[in-house]
Amino acid sequence: MGKAHSKFFFFLPLFSVLIVMVGYPLAYTMYMSFFKKTAAITIPELVGINNYILLLQDNVFLKVVFNTFVWTITNVVATLGIGLILSLILSDIRLKGIRLFRMIIIIPWSFSVPGMMAWVWLMSSDYGYFNELLKNLGLIGNYIAWLSEPKIVLFSCVIPNVWHMFPYMTVMLLAGLQSIPIELYDAAAVDGVNKVQKFVYITLPQLAPTLLVATTLYMIWTMNSFVPYVLVPGGLANNAVTLPIYIYHLFFTKFDFGSGSAAATFLFLLNLILTILYIRSFKVEWK
Amino acid sequence: MASQPKKVDRRKFIYAGLGAAALIAIGVASYVALNPPIVTQTTTVATTIQTTVPTTSVVTTTSVATTTVPTTTVVTTTVPTTTSISGKISWWVGSWSEEAAKLLVSNFKTIYPQIAVEVVGLPWTGMYDKMLSALQSEAPPDVLDVAVAWNIPFASLDLLLPLDQYAKSLDLSDFYEAALSTAKFKNILYGIPFRTETGGLILNKNILKASGLDPQTPPKTWDDFYEYCKKTTVPGKTYGASLGFGEKMHAVYEYLIFLWGNGGEILDETNKTALFNSSAGVEALEFLVKLYKEGLIPKDAVSKNRDAMFDEYFLQERSAMHHGAVYSVATIRDKNPNLYNNLLIAPACKNKEVKQYVQIGGWNRVIAKRSKNPDAAWKLIEFLSSPQNQAFYTHTFPGRKSALAYPNFYKIDYSDPYIKSFANVLDTGKLTPPVAQWGGIVDELATAIVSALVGDKTPKQALDEAANRVNQLLK
């Protein structure tokens, strides 16, 4: 057996798994996106790119895509901000009880997504603790219907998701911070550099690779998240519907397999762009 | 110094791999030898099932101590005592029915010891998706308890076994006609109803009294309903009605009460054109919008489903009225006895002199088309469909009339006047359109209802847009 052949031989199990578990479903979804197949039309009809054209002409689809971007960007910005601040605090080993705090901070991440249902009660318009707390703090006058107002519902869904996911970002960034050589800060101290300058000129550039990897990965997860569906199953007239939820409804509620496949392919392409960015982030040379 | 990568001898590596594979093969072979699969002997059609002359057997059911059902219920069932049908089958049930299901299966085993039944309880969340995915697989569960709303869509996707031949062994005339119609697609029977329910208006007499209303007189018209809502709404304390639109199916169910109560219909007679955007449908939605905008129903009515609204408002005596069903009464009895003693049950309100239909809901039992053992699956359904077992298992009403005379595992007392008032309207139940596109219709209509309630669109605009989309679906 030649060297090249033997390499192929050893990779065969991996290829087989990838083809069966990833390649086939993906190819079949893309293939189905060129057909019309519904509960009423059980024999698929070839319609070319018509499913894609119809989707792009559909106001609901465009709204859902917009929602998806708002949902993803808001989550990433909020989680990244909180994660960065907390990781900076937790990286200071001089603080007492720092190990305990590092453990405690993981707790929200350990909750399952359905476990986040508790937030539905917390954010109840009439009896929710969230409203009570904000009112007692003097931040709101009247109770807010967090999950029932079209203009704020998506942002209300962001709050539990950020609560659930900030530990991930904190832990990732904390690991990044701990890998920065201490000598850099010592040298900067000798040069009389202040804290802000240390953060801007040492911490951020050194943390950049971790930031990019963690953020890209988090963006992919968030884009595919079903959290808005858990909190507002009806979608509040599509105001709390993102692409994966929309695709779910196309497949499982409407049995529209053609349009569902086209929308799923669209989401796949969005994810692909992010994945390429993710992979390329490993190759970036940071100066 | 960088460490050198450890070199692995290729030959040794291959030998080690082969050795591991051999060990796995020996392990699998030993497991199979120690756990021989149950031999499944299937026949192709129901009529070929070999049975001996039916004899009357006595089945003893032992219920759990926490219920008030007599601890030992003697269930007399006429069933064949021997049969050539054997094998292993699985039965997917709602997790809320798992306990009763297991008790019934233990009885089933005494009659059909050669059929092994595995009961799998599924929680409500994700149940539909799991069933749909499993039915499409090559190894689906054999018997499934499905909500009536899923029966026809599953049948339309060719995932269910037609049951007309099998069902000849049942007295179908004893089943509620409306319930049976939930299981028929293109006039073929795809399910056996085992739980049937209807809705009604449940009122809290305490709140009516405190609001200066006659606690013995329920509202009859929309005007009455509005007046009752106005009088019973006390900001920060109580609401007029706890309607729930937060789940698509529930949004449509709430709307249907008002649509039918105004003489409207969802689709035309041919089931090809949407009719809900007619003046009757628009008026119905305008009425709901009025209630919502004036704060007579809770703000969260648009994001929480009917069950959540019941738990958080009506059960806690924070709303005067609720569209509920038999199970609502049972829950109130168990969780708020004070409220139970002050209930008033009435038909839903209507706007015009039309016949007020009651929406029929419930559950049917089906067999997966790809079931490996349909005959054994049918034997289980046949056993479970006896009047006694139907009565035992249901959380509401059974699928057949004669079952009302038997005791129920969940302590539903069919002689209870509250329960009786729901039972009286079972025969006037009305079915939602039996079309394969029902899921899509619900999706579009619910979106329209909520978008009008939250003020994204006017009722007419929302319903017209939904009707256009539904008409596209029905083409």
Side-chain angles (χ1 to χ4, degrees):
Chain A
M1 199 188 291
K3 201 174 178 183
H5 286 98
S6 67
K7 269 184 194 169
F8 179 75
F9 176 76
F10 285 114
F11 273 111
L12 205 56
L14 176 66
F15 284 140
S16 312
V17 170
L18 282 177
I19 288 167
V20 173
M21 305 297 285
V22 182
Y24 175 73
L26 191 64
Y28 189 70
T29 304
M30 286 180 173
Y31 172 75
M32 278 309 296
S33 71
F34 300 113
F35 289 86
K36 186 171 176 66
K37 185 177 183 296
T38 62
I41 305 164
T42 46
I43 298 166
E45 292 171 9
L46 184 65
V47 291
I49 58 166
N50 201 36
N51 285 330
Y52 291 95
I53 293 170
L54 289 176
L55 274 182
L56 293 172
Q57 289 173 344
D58 187 351
N59 288 336
V60 174
F61 178 74
L62 298 178
K63 183 177 185 174
V64 164
V65 172
F66 177 73
N67 286 348
T68 310
F69 281 114
V70 171
W71 161 254
T72 308
I73 292 166
T74 320
N75 263 294
V76 168
V77 170
T79 313
L80 194 63
I82 294 171
L84 189 58
I85 292 167
L86 282 173
S87 61
L88 285 170
I89 296 169
L90 293 174
S91 65
D92 190 346
I93 50 168
R94 290 168 304 179
L95 290 175
K96 271 192 174 178
I98 199 74
R99 284 173 191 275
L100 181 70
F101 284 121
R102 283 180 187 172
M103 278 193 289
I104 290 172
I105 220 151
I106 294 290
I107 291 173
W109 201 16
S110 65
F111 275 77
S112 66
V113 171
M116 288 161 68
M117 280 294 290
W119 280 89
V120 175
W121 290 294
L122 288 175
M123 295 205 278
S124 168
S125 64
D126 284 312
Y127 313 104
Y129 176 72
F130 211 55
N131 272 330
E132 193 66 28
L133 179 74
L134 294 177
K135 198 171 180 184
N136 286 340
L137 291 173
L139 294 174
I140 55 168
N142 296 317
Y143 281 4
I144 296 170
W146 297 96
L147 297 172
S148 305
E149 289 284 353
K151 284 178 185 157
I152 62 165
V153 63
L154 204 55
F155 298 104
S156 302
C157 294
V158 168
I159 298 168
N161 196 53
V162 170
W163 170 82
H164 183 225
M165 291 305 292
F166 82 83
Y168 155 78
M169 197 59 83
T170 309
V171 169
M172 288 288 280
L173 297 185
L174 186 59
L177 284 172
Q178 286 172 336
S179 68
I180 300 174
I182 193 81
E183 292 82 5
L184 291 177
Y185 292 105
D186 292 342
V190 172
D191 292 343
V193 170
N194 64 31
K195 280 186 177 177
V196 176
Q197 285 172 321
K198 270 186 194 171
F199 178 73
V200 174
Y201 296 110
I202 300 174
T203 310
L204 265 188
Q206 290 290 320
L207 199 59
T210 315
L211 267 174
L212 186 59
V213 170
T215 309
T216 317
L217 211 53
Y218 183 58
M219 275 175 96
I220 295 171
W221 289 344
T222 311
M223 195 173 273
N224 295 303
S225 170
F226 259 69
V227 168
Y229 181 76
V230 172
L231 299 167
V232 192
L236 201 69
N238 294 324
N239 287 296
V241 175
T242 54
L243 259 175
I245 301 165
Y246 179 73
I247 294 165
Y248 164 83
H249 282 305
L250 283 176
F251 274 108
F252 287 91
T253 315
K254 291 186 169 175
F255 299 145
D256 188 345
F257 302 102
S259 301
S261 299
T265 305
F266 183 83
L267 180 62
F268 166 72
L269 291 176
L270 286 180
N271 278 310
L272 188 66
I273 294 167
L274 289 173
T275 309
I276 291 169
L277 190 71
Y278 173 67
I279 293 168
R280 284 178 67 89
S281 68
F282 289 110
K283 294 179 182 170
V284 175
E285 281 187 25
W286 302 90
K287 290 179 181 173
Chain B
M1 193 176 74
S3 61
Q4 291 294 318
K6 196 180 176 184
K7 286 183 181 175
V8 178
D9 185 298
R10 189 183 297 168
R11 188 169 295 176
K12 279 184 184 169
F13 183 79
I14 292 170
Y15 285 159
L18 288 174
L23 278 174
I24 292 167
I26 292 165
V28 171
S30 312
Y31 178 80
V32 173
L34 293 170
N35 300 279
I38 296 165
V39 178
T40 305
Q41 186 186 341
T42 55
T43 47
T44 50
V45 287
T47 47
T48 62
I49 297 170
Q50 294 172 23
T51 54
T52 57
V53 178
T55 58
T56 302
S57 63
V58 176
V59 184
T60 305
T61 307
T62 308
S63 72
V64 291
T66 50
T67 68
T68 58
V69 175
T71 50
T72 303
T73 310
V74 176
V75 180
T76 309
T77 319
T78 303
V79 287
T81 50
T82 61
T83 169
S84 65
I85 299 165
S86 62
K88 188 178 178 183
I89 56 170
S90 58
W91 175 24
W92 282 19
V93 303
S95 52
W96 54 93
S97 298
E98 203 174 344
E99 197 180 354
K102 283 179 176 166
L103 285 171
L104 286 175
V105 163
S106 65
N107 296 341
F108 179 74
K109 275 182 190 164
T110 61
I111 306 162
Y112 298 101
Q114 69 280 31
I115 301 176
V117 182
E118 183 198 8
V119 175
V120 180
L122 303 179
W124 169 251
T125 308
M127 188 176 190
Y128 170 79
D129 312 342
K130 283 190 189 108
M131 285 189 170
L132 183 58
S133 307
L135 283 168
Q136 287 172 320
S137 73
E138 287 301 324
D142 302 277
V143 179
L144 301 94
D145 289 359
V146 300
V148 291
W150 310 342
N151 201 155
I152 289 170
F154 287 170
S156 73
L157 291 171
D158 199 23
L159 301 173
L160 305 181
L161 193 72
L163 299 179
D164 290 291
Q165 285 297 320
Y166 286 106
K168 282 178 181 168
S169 64
L170 294 178
D171 175 14
L172 290 182
S173 66
D174 188 34
F175 285 74
Y176 293 105
E177 192 51 47
L180 272 180
S181 63
T182 65
K184 282 183 185 167
F185 179 61
K186 293 183 177 171
N187 234 6
I188 298 169
L189 187 69
Y190 285 96
I192 303 297
F194 66 88
R195 171 177 155 173
T196 313
E197 58 220 25
T198 54
L201 187 64
I202 312 177
L203 298 102
N204 181 327
K205 287 203 276 193
N206 285 335
I207 297 179
L208 297 187
K209 222 183 293 177
S211 311
L213 293 161
D214 177 6
Q216 301 304 331
T217 312
K220 291 186 177 67
T221 64
W222 285 8
D223 288 341
D224 296 343
F225 190 80
Y226 177 73
E227 189 203 337
Y228 273 54
C229 281
K230 268 274 191 199
K231 286 191 173 166
T232 52
T233 299
V234 180
K237 199 177 170 202
T238 54
Y239 286 93
S242 44
L243 311 183
F245 303 91
E247 197 174 298
K248 294 193 173 186
M249 195 72 86
H250 290 187
V252 172
Y253 288 170
E254 293 284 17
Y255 173 68
L256 271 181
I257 294 168
F258 293 90
L259 176 71
W260 285 341
N262 202 29
E265 288 292 344
I266 305 173
L267 302 181
D268 68 355
E269 283 177 359
T270 61
N271 286 334
K272 290 286 177 198
T273 311
L275 284 186
F276 54 74
N277 59 333
S278 63
S279 58
V282 174
E283 274 174 27
L285 190 50
E286 281 171 347
F287 181 69
L288 290 173
V289 170
K290 186 167 128 181
L291 295 177
Y292 188 70
K293 289 250 164 87
E294 291 186 19
L296 306 180
I297 49 180
K299 269 264 173 203
D300 278 348
V302 290
S303 59
K304 288 182 178 171
N305 68 23
R306 197 189 251 183
D307 300 335
M309 297 304 284
F310 172 78
D311 287 339
E312 291 177 34
Y313 289 90
F314 193 78
L315 194 60
Q316 309 297 330
E317 304 199 47
R318 290 165 177 164
S319 74
M321 296 181 280
H322 181 83
H323 284 132
V326 186
Y327 48 78
S328 318
V329 174
T331 308
I332 294 166
R333 179 198 58 204
D334 295 341
K335 295 191 174 169
N336 190 344
N338 177 50
L339 176 60
Y340 182 73
N341 294 326
N342 288 287
L343 281 183
L344 182 65
I345 314 279
C349 298
K350 56 186 181 180
N351 190 34
K352 292 178 180 163
E353 278 311 310
V354 292
K355 182 177 178 184
Q356 177 62 357
Y357 289 106
V358 184
Q359 194 207 331
I360 199 102
W363 290 73
N364 298 341
R365 198 161 281 130
V366 300
I367 299 179
K369 182 153 192 195
R370 292 177 183 159
S371 163
K372 302 283 187 293
N373 200 348
D375 294 339
W378 174 254
K379 277 290 142 199
L380 178 67
I381 291 187
E382 191 183 54
F383 170 81
L384 296 170
S385 299
S386 73
Q388 299 88 337
N389 290 337
Q390 281 228 341
F392 183 78
Y393 189 73
T394 181
H395 278 74
T396 56
F397 293 112
R400 56 195 303 177
K401 298 163 198 167
S402 59
L404 288 173
Y406 296 93
N408 171 264
F409 180 71
Y410 302 97
K411 302 183 285 175
I412 294 173
D413 177 7
Y414 297 119
S415 61
D416 180 320
Y418 294 146
I419 306 284
K420 260 189 176 173
S421 54
F422 284 110
N424 292 340
V425 290
L426 274 176
D427 267 330
T428 63
K430 183 161 173 162
L431 182 65
T432 50
V435 290
Q437 297 89 338
W438 178 240
I441 295 171
V442 167
D443 193 72
E444 299 296 353
L445 187 50
T447 303
I449 293 163
V450 176
S451 64
L453 287 171
V454 297
D456 272 358
K457 290 170 188 163
T458 66
K460 172 135 183 63
Q461 191 187 1
L463 290 175
D464 281 345
E465 281 179 21
N468 281 338
R469 287 173 172 273
V470 167
N471 289 338
Q472 288 294 321
L473 285 175
L474 293 168
K475 265 184 186 171

